[in-house]
Amino acid sequence: MKTNGMIPKTMKALIAYAPMDFRYEDCPVPEISEDDILIKSFGCGICAGDTKSWRGASMFWGDETHPAWLKAPVRCGHEFCGEVVMIGDRAAENFGLTLGDWCVPEQAIPCGKCRYCLDGERWLCEVHNLYGFQGGITDGGMAEYVKIDGRSIVHKVPKSVGVKGGCMIEPVSCAAHTVERAGITLRDVVVIGGMGPIGLMKMQLAKLKNPKMVIAIDGKPNRLALAEKLGADLVIDYTKEDCVAKVKELTGGYGCDVYIENSGSPQSVLNGLEMLKKHGRMVEFGVFLEKTPVDWSIIGDKKELTILGSHISGTEGYDIAIDAIANKKVNVEDVVTHLIPLKDWQSAYEMAERGDESAKIVLVP
C-alpha cells in the first residue's frame, strides 16, 4: 500500500437518504484494499440524473412496477475526477497508476460474470452498480475522497485537462457513445433536442462527423447562444417557433435524418418522431420523470423509423472523451459555467434544474 501520508479519518460528503432528503455531512474517509485506489476529488458535476434522483424519480427509488435501483444512504455523484492519494500494490500494477496521478473510473463497475460483461458490453452489466447510486458499493464523487473499486475500469487523465476538463470526462463519454450510436454520415441533417451540458457536447461531437447540418433545439436563450457559439449550424427556440415545421421547411418537407433526444421531455420525443424523415434514426438518451405516450404507428406503418437507445459511455466513450478534451477537439471550458462549493449543493441543484443561468455546474469539495 502506497500513501502520501496525509489522509484524514473523516471528510465532508453529500449523502442521499431518501427523495428530497440529501444531506451535506461528515462521514468516514473510505478504507481501501490492495486492489483499490483512493482519490482526492477535485470536483463533481451535477447531472440531470442527480437532480431527478433528489426529486424522487421512480427509476432511482422504485415504484409499483419497478424495484428501487438506488441503494441509500449513498454518497452522490458520478461526474468526478481526482488525484491518487493512496493505492494498493495490486491496483498500482493493474491500473498502471502511482501517487499523484490523475484518474477517472468508468461509471459502471462491471461484475465480470453476467452475459453482457462476458460479451464485452460492460456498460450494460446486469448487476449495474454505478458510482453515486449504490451505498457501500459505489459511493460517489460529491465528497472529499472517493474509493475506486478494484473491479473498475480506470483511465489515467492528463493533468493538462484541468478541473473543468476532468469533471467533464464522464459527460463527454456519454455524448461520444450516443453520437457513435447515431451513425452520422456526411449527408445527414442532425437535430439535437436539449442543449444541456451533454447536449452541447453531442452537438460538438456531431459536428466532428461533418454532416450536412447540425441543428440545436432548446427553450433557454442562454443555452441556445452557447450552442451557436460552439458551432451549431442553426439554433431553434421551441418556445418561439414551431421546431417541427422549421426542420421540415429546411429539408424540403422530408424531415431530418437523425434526431438525438437528451432532455427527458415527453414533448421532445414527440417532436423528434414528427420531424424525422421516413427511414430516419432516433437516439434516445434522456432521463425521464414521467411516461411518454407515443403513437407507435409513426415508428412502423408511417415512417419505418430506426429507434436506438444510448446508455452511458459504451466501451469507446472514455477514450474518445479524454482525447477530445485533452486535444481541445471540444470546448468544455465554456460549458462548465459554475464552480460551486459542495456545501452549497442545494442552491446548485436548483440552479441546474432551472438551467436559465447555467450549463454545467461542478461542485467543489
Side-chain angles (χ1 to χ4, degrees):
M1 185 79 66
K2 298 179 179 64
T3 176
N4 64 10
M6 299 180 289
I7 312 301
K9 296 294 184 183
T10 62
M11 65 179 185
K12 294 287 190 181
L14 179 62
I15 301 176
Y17 287 92
M20 299 302 292
D21 184 10
F22 285 25
R23 308 174 201 169
Y24 175 71
E25 60 187 18
D26 291 308
C27 62
V29 170
E31 296 182 358
I32 68 168
S33 74
E34 292 291 349
D35 296 305
D36 307 324
I37 303 167
L38 185 71
I39 65 168
K40 184 174 177 58
S41 175
F42 296 135
C44 185
I46 300 174
C47 172
D50 295 318
T51 57
K52 290 175 181 178
S53 170
W54 179 47
R55 292 294 185 188
S58 60
M59 69 169 291
F60 301 104
W61 298 99
D63 57 22
E64 65 277 3
T65 58
H66 300 93
W69 174 61
L70 186 152
K71 296 179 176 64
V74 60
R75 297 166 193 162
C76 306
H78 56 280
E79 298 180 357
F80 61 90
C81 182
E83 178 184 349
V84 177
V85 294
M86 182 182 290
I87 188 166
D89 291 338
R90 287 192 295 269
E93 181 177 352
N94 290 341
F95 298 124
L97 294 169
T98 190
L99 294 174
D101 285 341
W102 288 19
C103 70
V104 60
E106 295 191 6
Q107 314 96 309
I109 298 180
C111 73
K113 298 177 181 179
C114 72
R115 64 183 297 176
Y116 302 108
C117 288
L118 294 175
D119 286 345
E121 297 176 323
R122 61 180 183 263
W123 74 99
L124 297 175
C125 174
E126 186 70 9
V127 178
H128 216 60
N129 289 324
L130 266 64
Y131 280 98
F133 294 106
Q134 286 75 43
I137 303 170
T138 53
D139 283 297
M142 292 181 184
E144 293 181 270
Y145 294 88
V146 188
K147 172 188 171 182
I148 297 179
D149 190 284
R151 298 168 297 167
S152 296
I153 309 299
V154 184
H155 298 264
K156 186 174 180 179
V157 176
K159 296 179 181 180
S160 61
V161 302
V163 172
K164 287 185 176 182
C167 293
M168 282 296 291
I169 290 170
E170 190 276 342
V172 178
S173 77
C174 295
H177 182 53
T178 302
V179 169
E180 290 291 273
R181 291 279 284 162
I184 296 168
T185 73
L186 295 170
R187 297 190 300 172
D188 286 340
V189 173
V190 180
V191 178
I192 302 179
M195 286 294 105
I198 292 184
L200 290 165
M201 303 320 300
K202 288 175 185 175
M203 186 275 296
Q204 294 183 73
L205 290 169
K207 287 285 290 183
L208 294 177
K209 296 283 189 178
N210 290 316
K212 183 177 182 180
M213 178 180 286
V214 176
I215 301 169
I217 297 178
D218 205 285
K220 295 182 172 61
N222 62 314
R223 294 190 170 184
L224 289 171
L226 189 49
E228 193 168 36
K229 177 181 179 180
L230 296 176
D233 296 303
L234 178 71
V235 299
I236 301 175
D237 185 337
Y238 70 82
T239 68
K240 298 179 179 179
E241 189 171 10
D242 184 333
C243 57
V244 174
K246 183 65 175 179
V247 169
K248 288 191 173 182
E249 176 191 338
L250 290 166
T251 55
Y254 289 99
C256 60
D257 300 275
V258 176
Y259 185 83
I260 296 175
E261 203 294 304
N262 302 290
S263 69
S265 160
Q267 188 59 53
S268 176
V269 174
L270 299 176
N271 288 344
L273 293 174
E274 288 293 334
M275 71 174 64
L276 276 167
K277 73 178 182 88
K278 295 176 183 178
H279 270 186
R281 304 184 300 284
M282 180 170 179
V283 186
E284 179 54 63
F285 180 85
V287 178
F288 291 79
L289 272 173
E290 53 188 308
K291 295 179 181 179
T292 305
V294 170
D295 176 5
W296 279 70
S297 61
I298 296 175
I299 299 169
D301 185 57
K302 294 180 180 179
K303 291 190 177 182
E304 201 171 280
L305 301 176
T306 298
I307 307 296
L308 299 161
S310 181
H311 175 60
I312 61 176
S313 62
T315 56
E316 75 280 18
Y318 276 79
D319 289 334
I320 293 172
I322 292 169
D323 171 72
I325 295 169
N327 292 298
K328 301 191 184 305
K329 297 176 183 177
V330 294
N331 179 339
V332 297
E333 292 295 320
D334 288 335
V335 174
V336 180
T337 53
H338 293 76
L339 299 173
I340 295 177
L342 180 57
K343 64 182 179 63
D344 298 325
W345 69 271
Q346 184 167 340
S347 61
Y349 267 45
E350 291 169 350
M351 180 188 293
E353 283 183 316
R354 293 192 303 271
D356 54 3
E357 54 187 312
S358 68
K360 174 59 68 179
I361 299 172
V362 170
L363 294 173
V364 180

